[in-house]
Amino acid sequence: MSVWRVKPISAFEADMKKNDLKRVLTRWGLTSLGIGAIIGGGIFTLTGIAAHDYAGPALALSFVIAGIGCLFASLCYAEFASVLPVEGSAYAYAYGTVGELFAWFIGWNLILEYMMGATTVAVAWSGYFVKFLHLFHIDFPVWLCNDFATATEKVLAHNKEFPSELWDMPSIAFNLPAFIITWLVTAVLVKGIKEAASTNNIIVVIKVAVVLFVIIVGAFYINVENWYPFIPKEVPALDELGNATGKMNFGFGGVLTAATIVFFAYIGFDAVSTQAGEAINPKKDVPFAIIASLIICTVLYILVSLVLTGMVPYTMLDKAAPVASAFSEKGLTWAVFIITIAATLGLTSVMLVMMLGQTRIFLGMAKDGLLPPFFKSIHPKFKTPYQSTILVGAIISVVAALTPIEKVSEMCSMGTLLAFAMVCVAVMMLRYKKPELDRPYRTPAVYVVGTLGVCFNLFLMYFVRIHTWIAFLIWGVIGISVYFLYSKKRSNLNNQDL
């Protein structure tokens, strides 16, 4: 009856044998899913804010710092994925090592990572899609492509800049593009993992090709003088009213702050581990895909950041669309079309993988009895958890249509950082408690790597804003309540105890 009861490794092995999902994903198919989840909103949007306000040309160093921290977590994820190649990601790993309550809390917070992450990307996708249509002189009404708060803010800004062309204040607002793209992705996921993976592979090829295009073409327009000083002089941070906040921008502190911002750009490599149930050879291929996708994307991120800050002074980078703005400043308007299309497609693939990961987390928790059977219902033809997929799509579509992007992005990071830290703890515990387990992949210097992973992720959580901490704590209290009111009594392990 203990909340710290641990799911036996033999039970995980039994789940693998009873797996109802199609095993169709190869090593490089899994790697492609990882790249598809990682490259997206981070590289196309957050680079502008991080360079312009915090790191300057040292943005490349921020990506190195964030990448190293994620590498610690990825090495721990890889060992777990080789030992427990089942759906559930960090939730399953914690259930097999630390205990049920701990695992439930991890699973509850993974909802923040995947569902809030997908919501954030849906809103970002809407912004790029509207920009894409604008290139063809097709414009959405402001109240039909934003939530109410954002639409009101844009109307006020427009009326201040163009007092002779006053826009009417919106009485209602609904982000229709975000709503529609969510349901299109949901339809692909309901149809099947093979179709979803094939769609993602096509998008990943296009997306990586355009990122390489940015690096290669942009390299010819680099002015090395824009890299000096590489780390701009530290200056006081100011609020919207111009008052000092007590924090500092730029300097090495700014580089660290930028690392916490671009960390969002790395969210997604752990989504590979949620696809273990559909991998052909999960014990070997999942660890390979986790590490390979992270390393590939880190290299691309560093090169893109160097190109962008070399093409134009970091103070001239647009915060909303930095990649497109850099090429626009150089008069390469034809490239803006390509980059905007790539950003739109790239964000689509990120949504696909995040929503895919969310439903697999639900599937793993439902199989353990911690969630209702609804979440483990598999479609007889498509072999996908279609009911939970439709529910996830419905929630994301509504939240994305009505909520500002900044309200959900930090919650996504909080859930991810906690999950990463707990995986690092759990892999060390399993190495100590179960040294005899077969580990096709072993984390090198596990106690050093695991400890550094925990410290790094908790360090980044320290920099998250206070209102996000409050929301995170409220979310946690709700999750613990659900566990004691529903999940604890209905757990498969509890029934075995009885």
Side-chain angles (χ1 to χ4, degrees):
M1 293 290 288
S2 171
V3 297
W4 301 110
R5 55 199 170 199
V6 175
K7 183 176 179 179
I9 299 299
S10 58
F12 286 104
E13 294 174 347
D15 288 344
M16 291 172 59
K17 294 178 181 179
K18 294 187 297 183
N19 179 41
D20 294 324
L21 302 174
K22 289 182 179 179
R23 291 195 178 276
V24 296
L25 296 178
T26 63
R27 168 176 293 192
W28 288 106
L30 288 165
T31 303
S32 177
L33 280 172
I35 296 173
I38 297 172
I39 296 181
I43 193 65
F44 289 116
T45 58
L46 297 180
T47 49
I49 298 172
H52 188 280
D53 292 344
Y54 299 101
L59 175 63
L61 184 57
S62 299
F63 273 117
V64 172
I65 294 171
I68 291 174
C70 289
L71 181 61
F72 295 142
S74 72
L75 293 172
C76 295
Y77 262 96
E79 177 168 323
F80 264 128
S82 71
V83 176
L84 303 175
V86 294
E87 308 91 3
S89 184
Y91 155 77
Y93 307 155
Y95 208 173
T97 55
V98 183
E100 185 174 274
L101 177 59
F102 189 88
W104 164 266
F105 193 65
I106 289 293
W108 186 252
N109 285 294
L110 284 175
I111 296 174
L112 291 180
E113 175 183 349
Y114 290 111
M115 194 173 291
M116 294 299 97
T119 303
T120 301
V121 174
V123 179
W125 185 94
S126 173
Y128 267 98
F129 181 70
V130 169
K131 289 180 181 179
F132 174 71
L133 293 181
H134 180 71
L135 295 175
F136 298 95
H137 307 291
I138 302 173
D139 294 311
F140 263 82
V142 68
W143 59 270
L144 200 56
C145 58
N146 295 281
D147 61 273
F148 183 80
T150 305
T152 301
E153 181 181 337
K154 289 188 175 183
V155 168
L156 290 174
H158 177 272
N159 290 344
K160 182 178 180 180
E161 185 175 358
F162 303 103
S164 60
E165 303 177 12
L166 292 179
W167 286 1
D168 294 331
M169 291 293 293
S171 55
I172 59 172
F174 188 84
N175 197 329
L176 183 62
F179 183 86
I180 292 176
I181 188 59
T182 302
W183 281 109
L184 289 176
V185 171
T186 300
V188 172
L189 292 177
V190 169
K191 185 69 167 58
I193 180 63
K194 186 175 182 179
E195 288 74 14
S198 299
T199 302
N200 179 74
N201 288 341
I202 295 172
I203 295 175
V204 167
V205 169
I206 297 174
K207 186 164 54 175
V208 173
V210 173
V211 170
L212 291 174
F213 164 83
V214 169
I215 294 170
I216 296 171
V217 175
F220 289 98
Y221 294 88
I222 289 176
N223 179 359
V224 294
E225 292 182 1
N226 292 330
W227 286 337
Y228 297 100
F230 189 70
I231 301 180
K233 184 178 179 181
E234 192 174 62
V235 298
L238 304 177
D239 60 20
E240 295 178 354
L241 299 177
N243 300 315
T245 63
K247 297 183 179 181
M248 303 296 288
N249 289 351
F250 304 110
F252 191 69
V255 172
L256 290 176
T257 302
T260 68
I261 294 173
V262 299
F263 175 82
F264 184 86
Y266 286 99
I267 292 176
F269 76 82
D270 57 315
V272 175
S273 63
T274 68
Q275 312 308 314
E278 288 134 301
I280 296 174
N281 187 7
K283 288 195 173 186
K284 292 184 178 180
D285 293 348
V286 172
F288 173 88
I290 289 174
I291 297 173
S293 60
L294 180 62
I295 292 175
I296 290 170
C297 292
T298 299
V299 172
L300 293 176
Y301 282 174
I302 293 171
L303 294 176
V304 168
S305 61
L306 287 173
V307 166
L308 293 184
T309 54
M311 289 180 69
V312 297
Y314 68 90
T315 54
M316 296 178 61
L317 282 175
D318 180 62
K319 295 183 182 181
V323 182
S325 71
F327 280 78
S328 179
E329 287 291 335
K330 291 296 182 179
L332 303 173
T333 53
W334 57 273
V336 176
F337 280 87
I338 298 176
I339 293 168
T340 304
I341 293 172
T344 305
L345 290 173
L347 292 170
T348 304
S349 70
V350 174
M351 277 193 67
L352 187 148
V353 178
M354 285 189 169
M355 292 176 65
L356 188 66
Q358 177 62 80
T359 57
R360 272 49 179 185
I361 296 292
F362 282 150
L363 177 61
M365 297 177 75
K367 284 184 176 180
D368 293 327
L370 301 180
L371 288 178
F374 170 88
F375 291 95
K376 65 177 180 179
S377 178
I378 303 296
H379 195 283
K381 178 180 179 181
F382 301 139
K383 299 297 181 182
T384 59
Y386 68 107
Q387 291 183 346
S388 64
T389 300
I390 293 173
L391 175 63
V392 168
I395 295 173
I396 291 175
S397 64
V398 173
V399 175
L402 301 175
T403 309
I405 189 171
E406 64 272 11
K407 299 297 183 181
V408 291
S409 60
E410 281 197 2
M411 288 294 285
C412 173
S413 293
M414 285 290 282
T416 307
L417 288 166
L418 181 61
F420 285 6
M422 293 304 99
V423 165
C424 292
V425 170
V427 76
M428 291 187 289
M429 291 183 64
L430 187 62
R431 186 73 73 88
Y432 175 77
K433 293 167 63 176
K434 298 283 186 179
E436 75 281 0
L437 286 178
D438 176 38
R439 292 173 169 84
Y441 175 84
R442 298 175 65 89
T443 302
V446 64
Y447 296 108
V448 175
V449 170
T451 301
L452 289 173
V454 172
C455 294
F456 177 85
N457 288 287
L458 294 181
F459 174 73
L460 288 186
M461 290 179 71
Y462 172 78
F463 286 91
V464 177
R465 292 180 293 179
I466 185 64
H467 71 268
T468 304
W469 267 103
I470 294 173
F472 179 72
L473 292 175
I474 293 173
W475 175 258
V477 170
I478 294 173
I480 297 299
S481 301
V482 171
Y483 172 77
F484 283 104
L485 293 175
Y486 177 89
S487 304
K488 183 176 183 293
K489 297 178 181 179
R490 292 168 175 79
S491 165
N492 292 346
L493 293 185
N494 184 62
N495 293 332
Q496 291 173 8
D497 292 341
L498 297 175

